[in-house]
Amino acid sequence: MANDHCMAKTYCKLYGTHKCHEFCDPYVILKAIYSQTNLPKRYQYDRPITPSKRDEEAFDVLHKWKLDVVDHVDNGDNLYIWSEGTGNGKTTWAGKIANYFIRKMMFKGEIEDLVVYLSVSKFLEDYRDNYSTRDDDFAKLREKALNAKILILDDIGAEKSSEWVHNRLYDIINYREGEMRTIIYTSNLSIEEVAQKLDKRIISRLKNSTQVQLVGPDRREMNKDV
């Protein structure tokens, strides 16, 4: 019986055959990988997304970045996806790129420290809550955020600004920059707008990114595929 919950069903050649079941080796490995990523379930598979006419060029850039993601990671390249609106595919694209990278690395036999997703505001709230008392799960998540081959920092610029926030973000971004580890940022602000909220040490590193702006409509309101 086909495993309808398999995250690889859109591309696995065994899907729908008698060999498709919950004990399939690739399925078990994928589950183990995703359990380490902190990716919301909504983004743990390759969601189809069709561009509005205004976003066709941006989607082409993002699709090429996805196809070349292994080279980008090897080079320590960063990506900044932003839009003034909401619901038009920023996080979906970050997830699509991460999922493609996971697939490529899994079939090369590499499964450790591939991707970590952080909602910036929630991560910083949890960081503050755990700052004086050690929580092992949070400590592991922070360690993964430093060392994963791809870190997704979702909705940067939405967090409350303070010197403490600046320092915590800088610690992570600067460490990864020094180690040439890829960061995919999403935001509702341009880098120039984020510069008004965060300090210059962080902004100079954000500018070292491929910048892609999405301008299409809110797909959630249209009940479409985001």
Side-chain angles (χ1 to χ4, degrees), residues 51-59 62 81-90 212-219:
S52 67
K53 192 168 186 62
R54 292 183 295 167
D55 276 336
E56 287 178 352
E57 185 175 343
F59 272 47
L62 291 169
I81 311 171
W82 73 281
S83 172
E84 293 178 353
T86 60
N88 54 9
K90 298 182 293 295
V212 180
Q213 181 182 10
L214 300 178
V215 296
D218 188 332
R219 293 165 182 270

Side-chain angles (χ1 to χ4, degrees), residues 123-132 138 162 164-165:
F123 175 73
L124 290 170
E125 288 175 8
D126 292 345
Y127 204 149
R128 191 183 294 276
D129 290 343
N130 287 276
Y131 198 65
S132 57
F138 182 80
S162 71
W164 187 90
V165 164

Side-chain angles (χ1 to χ4, degrees), residues 7-20:
M7 292 166 284
K9 67 181 182 181
T10 58
Y11 56 86
C12 180
K13 294 180 180 179
L14 298 181
Y15 181 72
T17 73
H18 70 282
K19 295 183 179 179
C20 181

Side-chain angles (χ1 to χ4, degrees), residues 120-133 138 142 159-172 197-199 201-202:
V120 174
S121 295
K122 184 179 186 306
F123 175 73
L124 290 170
E125 288 175 8
D126 292 345
Y127 204 149
R128 191 183 294 276
D129 290 343
N130 287 276
Y131 198 65
S132 57
T133 59
F138 182 80
R142 182 181 179 277
E159 67 284 342
K160 293 181 180 179
S161 183
S162 71
E163 183 178 358
W164 187 90
V165 164
H166 296 170
N167 288 337
R168 301 294 79 75
L169 279 175
Y170 175 77
D171 289 346
I172 293 172
K197 301 188 65 173
L198 301 178
D199 68 25
R201 298 175 302 168
I202 296 173

